[in-house]
């Protein structure tokens, strides 16, 4: 984090603005909106500033900036077109530990002013750390459309009910659930439609009726996190991540996805490296049941799709046996994500009319597959968890009729900034995995379609762009 975001209370506090032009005038009106007292120091004023200084809360010193102007101020903004003036305002303020902003000169600032969506008391502030004010403005424009104008009124309504709701519900979790229902339900919709009084009545009624409600019942969401790139999450996955009380995740979930989880949510790492299970599957199943019975909203987050080599079926059958309600949210499976991001269509009119997903790793570490069915011409085979069995895979496929020259792609950490694609063939597979030091998570794509990689490859991760590897620091 380059800057620490805060919202300052400037009501009746003394602030200094140096400069009398348009840029300075904009800052003065912003400060006035926050209720500040503003002293403007500038030999001349533009028309806009002239209007502003007629305000009771603004005083004007018609002269050049002087050192003592900074004294007794809680905030200083310089917006002149003279470099030396801006610089000395910045230095003097910094020497006195008064926060200072010099418009459009991040190197002279001790704080920056974000782009703001103002639905007071709701405010959304956007900053690029001074890197690109234009980008911040564009982002703000996008967010504007997501934050209905009525959010301010909605917040005021909530505020007026806060004490009552606190009295009614003893636990923080109950209160949060109540408010989430209100803010995402009818009350909010009525308010957005301008029916403020009806919204208030509904809220009152919701509060009264909730009195006799049973203890909150937990639920489990089995959510596919996709192969790594957070942009590949579904909307539903994102929404649930942001509502969760607890997130139970394993090694394949990429760190940038965990960053999207609600900040207050508890995170439980349950591991699952090959042959080194941090928690056994049975214990994971029981953990989910226990958390849900405690009334928590549990997101069980899994790499890729929960129903493809994800043991999702086992987890939900335990939930079902224990009467815990659940939802399953599909995710983009590794085969699909890695194929797209390496430019290898899994099927193609000229090369492959079918595709099979198989796991190259079985419980006891052996590879025991129906090789005859796999070694089928015009078929693409995608191996999950296959690195340890590559020797057997290539030998058996060749023995059952596939040419030793059949091309093979190894896609490591597919869809992430660390993606690596290595092309070989069945004859060279085992040696390539060793020589290129291929590491999990990797999928292996076998079939003629792999030839298309050379022509269709489009995704170029930036070298060193993401220093965080998979399976990084577990949070417990
Ligand atoms: N449910 C997951 C698969 C879990 S099995 C899904 O649908 O994708 C774990 C295997 O998935 C890994 O051993 C690896 O073969 C593959 N895998 C998962 N994420 C991957 C990624 N980003 N890049 C390459 N392979 C990946």
């Amino acid at each position: 984090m380059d800057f620490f975001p805060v919202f300052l209370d400037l009501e009746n506090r003394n602030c200094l603005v140096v400069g009398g032009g348009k840029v300075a005038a904009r800052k003065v009106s912003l400060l006035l909106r926050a209720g500040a007292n503003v002293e403007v120091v500038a030999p001349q004023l533009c028309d806009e500033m002239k209007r502003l200084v007629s305000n009771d809360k603004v005083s004007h010193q018609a002269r050049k900036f002087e050192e003592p102007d900074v004294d007794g101020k809680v905030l200083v903004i310089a917006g002149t077109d003279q470099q030396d003036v801006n610089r000395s305002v910045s230095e003097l303020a910094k020497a006195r530990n008064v926060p200072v902003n010099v418009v459009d000169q991040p190197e002279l600032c001790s704080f920056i002013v974000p782009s703001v969506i103002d639905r007071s008391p709701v405010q959304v502030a956007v900053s690029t750390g001074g890197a690109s004010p234009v980008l911040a403005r564009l982002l703000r424009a996008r967010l504007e459309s997501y934050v209905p104008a009525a959010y301010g009124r909605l917040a005021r309504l909530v505020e007026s009910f806060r004490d009552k709701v606190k009295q009614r519900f003893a636990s923080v979790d109950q209160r949060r659930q109540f408010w989430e229902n209100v803010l995402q339900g009818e009350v909010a919709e009525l308010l957005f439609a301008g029916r403020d009084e009806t919204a208030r009545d509904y809220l009152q009624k919701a509060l009264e009726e909730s009195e006799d409600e049973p203890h909150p019942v937990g639920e489990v969401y089995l959510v596919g996190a996709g192969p790594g790139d957070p942009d590949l999450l579904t909307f539903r996955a994102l929404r649930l991540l942001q509502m969760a009380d607890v997130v139970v995740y394993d090694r394949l979930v990429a760190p940038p996805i965990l960053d999207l989880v609600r900040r207050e949510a508890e995170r439980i790492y349950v591991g699952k490296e090959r042959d080194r299970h941090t928690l056994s599957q049975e214990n994971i199943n029981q953990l989910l049941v226990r958390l849900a019975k405690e009334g928590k909203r549990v997101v069980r987050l899994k790499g890729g799709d929960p129903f493809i080599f994800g043991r999702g079926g086992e987890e939900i059958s335990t939930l079902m046996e224990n009467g815990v309600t659940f939802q399953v949210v599909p995710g983009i499976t590794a085969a699909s994500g890695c194929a797209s991001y390496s430019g290898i269509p899994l099927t193609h009119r000229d090369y492959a009319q079918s595709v099979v997903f198989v796991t190259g790793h079985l419980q006891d570490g052996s590879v025991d597959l129906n090789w005859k069915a796999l070694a089928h011409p015009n078929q693409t085979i995608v191996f999950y968890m296959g690195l340890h069995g590559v020797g057997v895979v290539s030998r058996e496929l060749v023995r059952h009729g596939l040419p030793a020259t059949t091309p093979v792609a190894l896609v490591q950490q597919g869809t992430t900034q660390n993606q690596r694609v290595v092309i070989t063939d069945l004859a060279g597979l085992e040696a390539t995995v060793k020589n290129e030091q291929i590491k999990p998570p990797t999928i292996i794509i076998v079939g003629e379609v792999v030839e298309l990689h050379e022509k269709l490859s489009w995704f170029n991760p930036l070298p060193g762009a993401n220093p965080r590897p998979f399976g990084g620091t577990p949070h417990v």
Side-chain angles (χ1 to χ4, degrees), residues 227 252 303-305 308-310 333-334 338 384-385 411 413-414 441-443 470:
L252 274 178
D305 183 281
I308 296 183
F309 307 125
T333 189
C338 295
Y384 286 67
M385 299 180 278
V411 186
Q413 289 198 24
T442 293
I443 57 156
F470 266 47

Side-chain angles (χ1 to χ4, degrees), residues 323-336:
V324 174
T325 52
F326 60 85
Q327 286 181 31
V328 184
V329 182
I332 291 183
T333 189
S336 180

Side-chain angles (χ1 to χ4, degrees), residues 227-281:
D229 182 345
D231 274 5
L232 296 180
L233 280 175
T234 60
F235 286 128
R236 184 176 298 175
L238 182 63
R239 193 156 45 77
L240 294 173
L241 286 179
Q242 298 188 339
M243 269 174 53
D245 296 313
V246 192
V247 176
V248 178
Y249 68 100
D250 49 44
R251 184 168 168 271
L252 274 178
V253 176
I257 290 176
L258 283 175
D259 289 346
L260 298 170
V261 169
R262 190 167 76 91
R263 217 162 357 138
E264 298 74 20
E266 185 186 352
R267 291 135 202 261
I268 303 179
Y269 175 71
V270 290
K272 279 254 215 124
E273 273 171 76
R274 187 177 174 275
D275 299 333
R276 247 198 318 135
H277 290 198
T278 309
L279 259 194
S280 71
Q281 187 63 52

